Amino acid sequence: MYTHLLVPLDGSTLSIGLVTQAVDFARSLAARITFFTAREDLGASGDGALLRSLEPQDYAEAAAGSASAILAKAVAAAGAFGIPCEAVARTGPRPYEMILDVAAEQGCDLIFMASHGRKGLKAMVLGSQTHKVLAHSTLPVLVASVESNAAGSAAEVAIGIIKDEHRAIAAVIRGLRQVAAELRSAASLPDLDFPAGLVAYLKTFPEVLHHPKEEQFLFARLAARSAESAELIARLEAEHREGSAQIQTIEACLSATRSDPARYGDLADVIDRFADAQWQHLSTEEKLILPAARQHLDETDWQGIASAFQQNAGVRVGSEQDEAFKRMFVRLMNRASA
């Protein structure tokens, strides 16, 4: 049976469902995963060469692209179930060749890819990269049929967005754990601007948008449909408030540590306490709340939840504010992988 999956990702909405399916499949096999994504070769273009010459810092950020962010969320999804995994990004003009090369280098025995969920004649063309991998691979290739958020049911739209947001939060928490480990190491002085950026992301995205959406729409509708979920929902809402207080404590400790390096250990402790609590919180929502919601909510409920997660307080997905959150997350994950 297969023991090591290569899962290529492109950052599209299809990738959200693909990661979920790959994690479930790996769990059933007790297999490990290597997640892979390809970067565009910006330096090979005329615009990229000009940008590298005129604005080296902007070029470095553009060249890094969103690969680290894509992989960080996938790793967080696997980590939630204790699945051993690695993340690989490569730059080049032909993604399918890099997929095959990385599969061989990593010792993978199965390539797990997405199609577009199409039927009939359209199914003959799975997508240029998937088709090329199928044509050239000497390894088995399993093509998972994954519908995009736009094409799925309201429940799948909502759950897909929620899981993607959870993975982003989990990736930031992993970054904070790395900082805590560095704070306890005498090897080098940590860059405190990096954890400050991670905390700023948590304050401006989950605290302002994600958690209120959960409480007002997902939790409220589930509580109305399932009385036995009320106690669990009340606990999770209390954990939202506790998390906000913990973030304030981290901020205060960060400020104190900037002027007193002797406080490194204290900062590491408050970060770890927060990370432990948040990891457990996310796990509870994924393993208990979402399954309960699938069981008890109807299509009308899911339509309301999906609409809320796509548009909250006048902020639509794809808006300038939403793009700012994405850019912030990408920059943070690029720094985390540097």
Side-chain angles (χ1 to χ4, degrees), residues 93-151:
R94 290 181 290 276
Y96 84 92
E97 290 184 353
M98 292 186 286
I99 290 170
L100 299 177
D101 289 344
V102 171
E105 293 167 10
Q106 297 292 318
C108 299
D109 50 17
L110 178 71
I111 299 174
F112 192 98
M113 299 187 71
S115 75
H116 299 286
R118 296 169 176 163
K119 298 179 181 179
L121 291 176
K122 290 184 178 180
M124 297 298 293
V125 182
L126 300 173
S128 60
Q129 301 308 316
T130 303
H131 180 76
K132 289 175 181 176
V133 169
L134 284 168
H136 294 89
S137 179
T138 59
L139 293 176
V141 180
L142 177 58
V143 181
S145 180
V146 182
E147 295 283 358
S148 69
N149 279 350

Side-chain angles (χ1 to χ4, degrees), residues 47 50 53-54 90 114 167 177 182 184 188 268 278 290 306:
D47 289 343
L50 181 61
S53 175
L54 297 178
R90 292 281 172 84
R167 291 167 188 172
R177 285 196 185 278
E182 291 175 6
R184 292 191 172 95
S188 61
Q278 290 300 302
L290 292 182

Side-chain angles (χ1 to χ4, degrees), residues 80-91:
F81 294 95
I83 296 173
C85 66
E86 296 181 50
V88 178
R90 292 281 172 84
T91 302

Side-chain angles (χ1 to χ4, degrees), residues 266-334:
D266 294 338
L267 178 57
D269 288 342
V270 298
I271 286 175
D272 276 340
R273 284 196 293 272
F274 170 77
D276 289 343
Q278 290 300 302
W279 196 261
Q280 183 59 48
H281 177 86
L282 292 173
S283 178
T284 299
E285 290 184 344
E286 296 254 340
K287 296 176 181 178
L288 298 179
I289 288 294
L290 292 182
R294 281 188 183 275
Q295 178 182 354
H296 294 289
L297 301 186
D298 61 24
E299 182 67 11
T300 301
D301 292 324
W302 283 116
Q303 287 173 354
I305 296 167
S307 177
F309 273 85
Q310 290 173 315
Q311 178 180 355
N312 181 61
V315 180
R316 293 188 61 83
V317 171
S319 70
E320 181 177 349
Q321 183 174 349
D322 181 70
E323 288 302 318
F325 287 137
K326 291 179 181 176
R327 288 194 297 272
M328 181 188 296
F329 179 70
V330 167
R331 286 196 296 270
L332 289 169
M333 293 303 101
N334 284 337

Side-chain angles (χ1 to χ4, degrees), residues 130-200:
T130 303
H131 180 76
K132 289 175 181 176
V133 169
L134 284 168
H136 294 89
S137 179
T138 59
L139 293 176
V141 180
L142 177 58
V143 181
S145 180
V146 182
E147 295 283 358
S148 69
N149 279 350
S153 67
E156 295 310 314
V157 171
I159 291 172
I161 296 172
I162 291 168
K163 285 188 173 183
D164 191 55
E165 292 183 359
H166 280 178
R167 291 167 188 172
I169 295 167
V172 170
I173 292 169
R174 287 173 67 91
L176 284 173
R177 285 196 185 278
Q178 293 174 15
V179 170
E182 291 175 6
L183 288 166
R184 292 191 172 95
S185 170
S188 61
L189 295 178
D191 173 13
L192 295 183
D193 288 341
F194 176 55
L198 295 172
V199 171

